Structure formats: C-alpha cells, structure tokens
Amino acid sequence: MAVEHTEPDPTLDSARDELREERVTAPPQLLDNVMNTVRREGRSTRVLDVPSTRSLPDNGHTQVRESVAAKILRMAADRTPGLRVGRCQIGEAETEGYSVRLTVRADTGTPIPEAAEVLRRSVLSAARNQLGWVIARVDIDIADIV
Amino acid sequence: MLTEEDIADSVLVEHAQDGDTSAFELLVRRYQNPVYRIALRVTGNEGDAADAAQEAFIAAWRQLPELDNPATFSGWLYRIVSRRALNSIRSRRPTSPIGEDGAELPDPSIGPEHHSVATDLRSALAKALENLPPPQRVCWTLRELEGMSYEEIAAIVDATPTAVRGRIHRARTHLVEALKPWR
C-alpha cells in the first residue's frame, strides 16, 4: 500500500494540542473501588508457619502469609544504605531453613560486596526476631544501578 | 530518607508482584489520571471510562506477577486500559458493525447540524471525533493525543501497523474537513 502523505493542517494541529493539554482527573471513588477489590483478593500466596516460643505452652498455631513475611524481610533489608529492595521471594523450607532471593537496585558508587553483607545481616536478624525463622541463604540479584 | 514520590515505579511494581497491596495503591494513585483519561478519550463517556479504568487496574493487579520487566509497567497498563475501553465501545454498539478497516462513514442523519453548534475550536474537534467511526477515532486518539506508536496501537486494536496508519490517515482527512469552517 502506498504511504499516505499528510499535509500539515495548522487548524487541526492547534485543536489537537488543546485537547492534548486538557487535564483529566479520575473520579474520586476510583481509587477506593480498585483497592477494595485488590485488598479483598490479595495475592493467593503460601501460608508459612511461625514457630511458637519455647517459654509458652504450644496451644495454638501461628501462620504468616508469604506476602507479609516478604514485606517484613524487605523492609528490614531496605534500611541498607545505597540499596533499594524490589522483589523478596521466599523459597521452600529446607532442613537448614528458608532461602530468600532479593532483587535489588543499587545507588551508583555503592560498594556492593559490603552493602550486600549488611543487607544479609538485616534479613537474617529480622527473620529471627520478627518471624522466629532461620534463614539458610540470602541470594541477592542486583537488577540495576540508579 | 526516600519519600513516596522518590520510589521508582519498578520498585513499587516488584513489591506489588510479591503481594504488597500498599505498593499497588501508590501505583494506582500515580496512574489513575492518565488511565482514566485514556479510557475517557476512547469511550467518550464518563461512566464507561470509570468502569474501564477500574477493570483495568484490577486486571493489572491480577496479571502483575506475569510482567517480566517492571520498567515497562506504564505502557503495559495503558495497553490494558485501552483494550478494556475499546471492548466497552464494541459491546455498546452491537447493531452497527465495525469494519476491520474502519472505512465506513458516519451516519449522515447524525451529522453536525443535528448537534448543538460547537462554539470553539476545541469543542469542534471533540464533536468531529464523536462522528468518526470508532476504529478511526480510537487509532487517531491513541496516536495523536496519547502519543502511542503504530505498533502499540496495532497490538491494542488487533490490526496491523499498516492498517492503523490507514485509519489514522482517514480520520485525519475527516477531521480536517470538519474543521474547515474554523480556518
């Protein structure tokens, strides 16, 4: 097919620019409607056991959703200067503990080996203190430099 | 200390992929205006646009784990809402067949003389757009108002980039004609 050649049309172009510049604001209930459904559905993720403390009798079961555990570990990891944590994926529980995989963006100039160690220690300590978990390994994937 | 505004889309997308609904809420806040704007421009109707925008965000939440490159989130989201909006106008007009090439002309009985007279150039264009066959209007709008590429539009409307280019050209011819009195 022949390539159609379009002559510029100043009237159409200026009308188009007016429409293009027009500010359009979403209706106020959109955010609530969307978030009500999103919160109700959540993500169908695994439910993981939280061990009971030895000092108390074991008279109930505590579990945590994977998405919540991921958030706990990620927020602890996020305090590492120069690094910003994206995904936090928790592997299957092995005899030595869980494996955790983090996707991380590093600020330019961050000494990555040192920062990665700080991050690992934060994850191990948050897992121990907030979830009662032993973490076998923390794999870190530097996805980008920002 | 990073503020909410500083957190890159990619990071929020990854948090949301892991099930963090608060991160997704920040993305909705960030993108609700452009998403609604695209829906409104495609459907031309506030109610349909609100429905399409809402469905698009919920679909995005469900499909987010399958998005491989979080840096492509905005384009991906705009494709979702464009398709939803397009489906809503398709289902709204079951009696008027929409040709694949979108070549058919608007019904002369609903010509401009039956509408209230546009009083400025901007409304004249808005009215002329309403009178275009939907496939032409959608392609022109996504290209000229939303700045999408022919390839992106082709993927949304299930046509080839060449067909999209043809629709935009025909739309333009109609629009130039409709705006002649404003020269």
Side-chain angles (χ1 to χ4, degrees), chain B residues 2-179:
Chain B
L2 286 164
T3 62
E4 282 183 359
E5 286 72 32
D6 294 330
I7 305 176
D9 283 357
S10 310
V11 171
L12 291 176
V13 167
E14 292 189 342
H15 295 176
Q17 285 179 317
D18 284 344
D20 184 345
T21 52
S22 313
F24 191 73
E25 181 171 349
L26 284 180
L27 289 168
V28 179
R29 285 182 190 278
R30 230 170 244 195
Y31 285 101
Q32 57 178 346
N33 289 343
V35 161
Y36 176 72
R37 185 188 67 219
I38 292 172
L40 185 61
R41 284 174 172 172
V42 171
T43 62
N45 172 298
E46 290 178 359
D48 289 345
D51 288 347
Q54 182 175 330
E55 288 169 15
F57 277 119
I58 292 167
W61 167 254
R62 291 175 185 158
Q63 294 163 27
L64 204 54
E66 293 141 45
L67 178 66
D68 285 333
N69 182 357
T72 60
F73 175 74
S74 61
W76 177 79
L77 180 65
Y78 295 160
R79 282 197 295 282
I80 294 177
V81 69
S82 306
R83 268 193 225 113
R84 294 267 155 177
L86 190 60
N87 285 341
S88 108
I89 58 173
R90 276 177 182 151
S91 61
R92 197 204 302 160
R93 303 172 189 235
T95 52
S96 94
I98 296 167
E100 260 313 293
D101 61 353
E104 73 271 32
L105 287 166
D107 181 350
S109 70
I110 52 161
E113 67 273 20
H114 292 271
H115 289 282
S116 55
V117 177
T119 53
D120 60 82
L121 184 57
R122 179 221 154 276
S123 344
L125 175 57
K127 290 214 173 301
L129 276 169
E130 278 174 34
N131 288 339
L132 284 181
Q136 288 183 23
R137 187 179 71 235
V138 168
C139 291
W140 187 88
T141 298
L142 294 180
R143 174 71 197 155
E144 294 291 322
L145 299 183
E146 296 298 334
M148 293 187 190
S149 70
Y150 293 125
E151 287 72 21
E152 284 174 308
I153 300 169
I156 291 162
V157 301
D158 289 324
T160 63
T162 308
V164 167
R165 192 185 285 265
R167 286 179 199 176
I168 292 169
H169 179 78
R170 285 191 293 280
R172 187 182 164 82
T173 306
H174 289 312
L175 296 174
V176 166
E177 190 61 34
L179 293 187

Side-chain angles (χ1 to χ4, degrees), chain A residues 97-108:
Chain A
Y98 288 106
S99 63
V100 172
R101 187 169 184 280
L102 302 168
T103 308
V104 172
R105 283 167 189 73
D107 290 345
T108 310

Side-chain angles (χ1 to χ4, degrees), chain A residues 9 22 39 41 84 88, chain B residues 2 18 25 62 122 183:
Chain A
D9 184 271
E22 221 165 53
R39 292 216 173 79
E41 281 187 12
R84 185 108 208 134
C88 171
Chain B
L2 286 164
D18 284 344
E25 181 171 349
R62 291 175 185 158
R122 179 221 154 276
R183 280 193 186 160

Side-chain angles (χ1 to χ4, degrees), chain A residues 73-103:
Chain A
L73 300 183
R74 194 226 308 146
M75 287 171 82
D78 239 357
R79 286 196 288 269
T80 314
L83 300 183
R84 185 108 208 134
V85 181
R87 298 209 69 164
C88 171
Q89 292 164 291
I90 300 163
E92 297 301 321
E94 310 284 341
T95 41
E96 320 87 76
Y98 288 106
S99 63
V100 172
R101 187 169 184 280
L102 302 168
T103 308

Side-chain angles (χ1 to χ4, degrees), chain A residues 58-84:
Chain A
D58 196 4
N59 57 358
H61 209 59
T62 309
Q63 292 182 310
V64 62
R65 289 184 191 197
E66 185 180 13
S67 57
V68 175
K71 192 168 182 175
I72 290 173
L73 300 183
R74 194 226 308 146
M75 287 171 82
D78 239 357
R79 286 196 288 269
T80 314
L83 300 183
R84 185 108 208 134

